Amino acid sequence: MFSTFSTMKCHITRISFEGDTLIKVILYSVLFITLVARLVPFSPRMPAVGLDPSFQSGLNQAVAQDLIFGKDIVFTFGPYASIYTRVYHPATDSRMVFAGFFLALTYLGYFILLGKTTQIRWPVLLFIIAVACLRNSIDALLFAIPLLAGMSFYSYYENGINIPSTFLKQNVIILLFFPIGLLPLIKGSLLFLTAFVTILSTCWLMFQQKFLPAVLCLTSPLVSFLIFWVMAGQPALAGIDYLAGILSLTKGYSEAMSSPGQLSEVCLFLLVSLMILIAIWQNFSWSLSKSYFGLLVLTFLFLAFKAGFVRHDSHAIASAFSILLAAILLSHYFKKYLSIPLLFLSFLAWHHIDSHYSKSSLNNPGQTFFSFYNKSISGAATRLLKPDLLQYRYDTTLAGLRSRNHLPVFPGTSDIYSYNQSGLIASGNKWSPRPVFQSYTVYTPDLAKMNKEHLLGTKAPEHIFLGIEPIDKRLPSLEDGPSWPLLLQMYMPIENDDSLIILKHIPGSRELPMETLMNLSGNLGIPVKLPEVDGPLFARVEIRSSVIGLLSGFLYKPTTLYICMELKDGTRKQFRFPSGMAESGFILSPLVENSQDFYLLYGTPSNYSSKTVTSITVTSKDVESLCWQSHFLITVSRIGVSVLSGPTITKMNKGLENTN
């Protein structure tokens, strides 16, 4: 009888084990299919006009033209940006599909590894539902990969995962950290979480005196970065310049790109984050491992917070989905009395934030769920059965953009300020972009210097389509400010309409020296009177943050600076005044608000006398005494400009027509 009971027990155990295995296989299969559907753009978007669509098309075109990221192109995205933007281009499509599959496999590998130590069936199921049914952000899905890498690393060493394959066991550290080397090549801001997870894990191994695994941990993402970088057609050593460009862009981002938003969204995010950290504190005994896990999650939450709430608009969706994913992924570590309320609250936080920016995906979740998979299946089928259709749609889209923009085609090279690269590329002109190719992102002196040197170098475009298009109510002349004097000195206008001026390079022209007129110290809130001279004035304003301001900028975002300009006729106008752009230099007087104002700079001073600025006041609406040093330095110089009369411009136009 005892023998019979033992036999029955073995059968039951085997059936239970096989049933559990089957459930995991099904879950992991559905997980992989869901991730492929989300990360692989089977039905990519086509080029379009506008600020964001233009940088998306510009990055694809940069890859197609074999431009070097970090030198020829300096932007917040890398050569694999199409994984994020999901915009089609013949030169990037295959890479976009391959990398999407690679990231889906990466997710699957992390989940399988985590499933060997804990029961993660419910977290996997919730993750699938969240990815398939809810309006989410690709930012959050990319952000979660380093978090999963750290969680898998922790589970492997803390819980002693048994890996039957000798090859996998010997190379587990390499396999854990290799995938994250791709992330900074998609979006530059992912560098910081990737680097932190790598360094934190390396330090943990060093403390444990596991020196060989520590070396592998540190080098694996670096090797991955280099492999993917070279696969993208980039020179190996140029990767250093790319990383330096990311750091320069990050340095000025918080102040230049910050925007206000609803405080309730910030409070909900912080509340859920606090609950997650408290749960970690209560569920992990004090140890080096607990410190590792806590720092990992804290850094993830902090960077997710910055990603969504510095520029507090629809970017907040990324933060909302990140906090939901964090609660789902971490829930299996916590007891039910903590994990269930945490999941519920994180879902409410996501829904509250998401509902402010779009129609909620909860209105018809079933339809959303099935349409999500149906769209991917349809897109995959189209790629297989009609492989030329995407190219046809792309060509048709460019033809439509070309007919709507009506940009003339010139011999030689061209560039466009401040954005609308989509229109220029579609027009058929040969694009020769400045490194920071959209002017609103030129928010540090280093970045401004790159663009200025481009105009002075051999790759300077022969024609420039110039539009004055500031964002966030900034002073217009701040965007690519140091390049404006060169446009006046080295280019001449050949066509002009209400919104766009076409400039042609003057052969043999050069940069003219400026005459310094005043160099003094000003104070926030106190007007500074400008010298009365003929001709445009160029200024550099150095404003420094206080210690409190630096801390505020690091933890959240800096306070906003403004410049109030008093004109000759007594009119006062106020603009946003990012300190990094102000330090780079800009045309201070006359006030240029649109392309027609810029066109007048080529004439005599009497043409723009009504826009002459007589005094400026730099101030902040937010406790400037705490966040900014009260004194600032201002240097004002006179620009040397070649005066072109109306008849001269007409003659240029006729000469160009005869040449063509």
Side-chain angles (χ1 to χ4, degrees):
M1 185 174 179
F2 178 77
S3 176
T4 303
F5 177 77
S6 298
T7 303
M8 290 176 61
K9 184 178 179 181
C10 288
H11 280 299
I12 293 171
T13 302
R14 188 180 67 181
I15 292 170
S16 176
F17 174 77
E18 290 176 351
D20 185 64
T21 302
L22 180 60
I23 291 172
K24 282 189 175 181
V25 169
I26 294 173
L27 272 178
Y28 290 146
S29 299
V30 176
L31 171 68
F32 181 68
I33 292 170
T34 303
L35 287 166
V36 167
R38 180 60 72 188
L39 294 171
V40 179
F42 291 112
S43 300
R45 295 186 291 113
M46 291 293 147
V49 296
L51 188 67
D52 288 350
S54 286
F55 89 69
Q56 294 164 2
S57 294
L59 291 168
N60 283 344
Q61 186 65 24
V63 174
Q65 292 183 199
D66 296 321
L67 300 181
I68 300 173
F69 283 73
K71 290 185 176 180
D72 300 325
I73 291 291
V74 179
F75 208 66
T76 50
F77 290 85
Y80 291 86
S82 56
I83 299 169
Y84 179 94
T85 64
R86 305 173 72 85
V87 173
Y88 177 83
H89 191 287
T92 62
D93 185 57
S94 59
R95 184 180 307 162
M96 177 171 63
V97 172
F98 164 75
F101 271 106
F102 176 78
L103 293 177
L105 280 171
T106 297
Y107 258 107
L108 180 64
Y110 288 144
F111 273 110
I112 290 175
L113 190 62
L114 289 171
K116 288 184 173 294
T117 59
T118 53
Q119 294 294 326
I120 62 167
R121 284 177 292 183
W122 279 108
V124 170
L125 182 59
L126 291 174
F127 184 87
I128 291 171
I129 294 172
V131 171
C133 293
L134 305 182
R135 171 182 163 87
N136 53 68
S137 167
I138 188 68
D139 291 88
L141 288 174
L142 296 176
F143 246 74
I145 292 175
L147 175 63
L148 278 169
M151 290 169 58
S152 301
F153 170 85
Y154 169 84
S155 294
Y156 177 73
Y157 277 103
E158 187 67 12
N159 301 319
I161 297 175
N162 180 30
I163 300 178
S165 170
T166 304
F167 173 80
L168 293 178
K169 191 171 184 178
Q170 291 176 343
N171 297 280
V172 65
I173 290 298
I174 296 175
L175 295 173
L176 278 176
F177 290 93
F178 184 86
I180 64 178
L182 170 62
L183 300 179
L185 298 178
I186 300 172
K187 189 175 184 181
S189 57
L190 292 166
L191 169 68
F192 302 101
L193 185 57
T194 297
F196 180 83
V197 171
T198 302
I199 294 170
L200 181 66
S201 303
T202 301
C203 292
W204 189 92
L205 290 169
M206 294 291 289
F207 276 114
Q208 297 287 339
Q209 297 186 347
K210 301 178 186 293
F211 299 113
L212 179 58
V215 172
L216 294 175
C217 177
L218 186 62
T219 57
S220 180
L222 294 175
V223 172
S224 169
F225 177 92
L226 183 60
I227 290 174
F228 282 111
W229 177 258
V230 173
M231 284 175 59
Q234 299 292 310
L237 294 179
I240 298 173
D241 296 312
Y242 173 69
L243 296 176
I246 291 173
L247 295 176
S248 186
L249 286 161
T250 304
K251 179 182 176 182
Y253 177 86
S254 290
E255 184 199 353
M257 298 299 291
S258 65
S259 64
Q262 293 196 32
L263 184 60
S264 62
E265 297 178 9
V266 176
C267 292
L268 266 178
F269 183 95
L270 294 176
L271 176 61
V272 178
S273 298
L274 181 61
M275 283 189 64
I276 290 175
L277 295 174
I278 291 173
I280 292 174
W281 182 265
Q282 290 188 346
N283 284 267
F284 290 77
S285 57
W286 175 255
S287 64
L288 182 64
S289 300
K290 179 180 179 178
S291 300
Y292 171 89
F293 202 84
L295 285 172
L296 171 69
V297 176
L298 176 63
T299 305
F300 170 83
L301 295 172
F302 172 67
L303 292 177
F305 173 80
K306 293 278 287 185
F309 296 122
V310 170
R311 188 163 185 81
H312 195 157
D313 48 19
S314 58
H315 287 81
I317 296 173
S319 296
F321 198 61
S322 293
I323 201 76
L324 179 60
L325 289 185
I328 291 172
L329 295 174
L330 297 169
S331 61
H332 68 282
Y333 288 107
F334 309 142
K335 295 180 175 63
K336 288 185 178 180
Y337 73 87
L338 280 175
S339 62
I340 293 177
L342 181 59
L343 286 168
F344 181 70
L345 185 60
S346 64
F347 176 79
L348 288 181
W350 167 83
H351 179 59
H352 175 78
I353 296 172
D354 179 76
S355 63
H356 291 162
Y357 303 97
S358 66
K359 183 179 179 181
S360 176
S361 53
L362 296 179
N363 290 344
N364 198 335
Q367 181 179 351
T368 303
F369 182 82
F370 287 109
S371 64
F372 167 73
Y373 291 104
N374 183 61
K375 182 179 179 181
S376 296
I377 293 171
S378 175
T382 300
R383 282 180 175 272
L384 290 172
L385 301 176
K386 300 178 181 179
D388 298 329
L389 183 59
L390 288 177
Q391 178 71 58
Y392 173 77
R393 288 180 56 203
Y394 177 77
D395 294 338
T396 303
T397 301
L398 291 190
L401 293 178
R402 187 160 50 248
S403 63
R404 287 196 298 271
N405 282 276
H406 303 295
L407 296 182
V409 180
F410 294 106
T413 57
S414 300
D415 195 10
I416 189 164
Y417 288 66
S418 64
Y419 55 89
N420 196 26
Q421 284 74 26
S422 296
L424 180 64
I425 294 167
S427 70
N429 282 283
K430 185 179 179 181
W431 186 40
S432 178
R434 58 204 183 277
V436 192
F437 63 91
Q438 289 197 324
S439 297
Y440 74 93
T441 57
V442 189
Y443 33 65
T444 69
D446 290 341
L447 298 173
K449 183 180 178 182
M450 290 182 194
N451 281 3
K452 179 180 177 181
E453 289 177 348
H454 174 72
L455 291 177
L456 294 169
T458 56
K459 294 183 179 180
E462 295 177 46
H463 293 87
I464 289 177
F465 297 84
L466 178 67
I468 308 300
E469 302 161 312
I471 67 169
D472 298 341
K473 299 181 180 180
R474 292 177 185 167
L475 178 65
S477 57
L478 289 175
E479 300 193 344
D480 257 318
S483 295
W484 282 28
L486 296 185
L487 297 180
L488 294 172
Q489 297 163 355
M490 299 174 62
Y491 287 81
M492 59 184 178
I494 57 174
E495 289 189 29
N496 175 39
D497 61 29
D498 291 339
S499 60
L500 201 66
I501 306 171
I502 300 178
L503 306 176
K504 186 179 188 300
H505 187 261
I506 303 172
S509 58
R510 60 184 178 84
E511 181 181 13
L512 302 178
M514 296 188 190
E515 176 190 357
T516 301
L517 300 177
M518 60 183 287
N519 195 339
L520 54 82
S521 174
N523 291 278
L524 293 180
I526 299 178
V528 175
K529 187 174 177 59
L530 302 181
E532 296 182 12
V533 296
D534 291 335
L537 297 180
F538 187 83
R540 289 185 176 88
V541 181
E542 296 182 29
I543 310 171
R544 296 288 179 255
S545 296
S546 65
V547 174
I548 294 177
L550 290 172
L551 186 62
S552 172
F554 174 75
L555 294 177
Y556 185 25
K557 53 189 171 188
T559 57
T560 304
L561 285 170
Y562 297 91
I563 183 170
C564 180
M565 313 182 83
E566 184 169 348
L567 305 184
K568 191 173 183 179
D569 61 2
T571 304
R572 293 187 177 186
K573 296 196 175 185
Q574 181 173 277
F575 301 92
R576 187 168 175 174
F577 198 58
S579 63
M581 304 179 91
E583 185 178 350
S584 301
F586 59 100
I587 288 183
L588 177 60
S589 179
L591 173 61
V592 177
E593 296 183 271
N594 51 54
S595 60
Q596 294 309 299
D597 289 343
F598 189 93
Y599 182 76
L600 293 176
L601 295 176
Y602 287 98
T604 61
S606 60
N607 291 342
Y608 50 78
S609 60
S610 62
K611 289 275 191 154
T612 300
V613 180
T614 58
S615 69
I616 62 168
T617 306
V618 181
T619 186
S620 172
K621 293 182 178 179
D622 311 301
V623 288
E624 66 266 19
S625 58
L626 294 177
C627 295
W628 297 96
Q629 296 180 17
S630 58
H631 298 282
F632 62 85
L633 299 177
I634 178 170
T635 301
V636 179
S637 306
R638 176 160 43 191
I639 302 172
V641 180
S642 300
V643 179
L644 301 173
S645 65
T648 303
I649 296 173
T650 303
K651 185 178 179 181
M652 291 174 191
N653 280 323
K654 290 181 178 178
L656 182 68
E657 291 172 2
N658 293 333
T659 301
N660 292 337

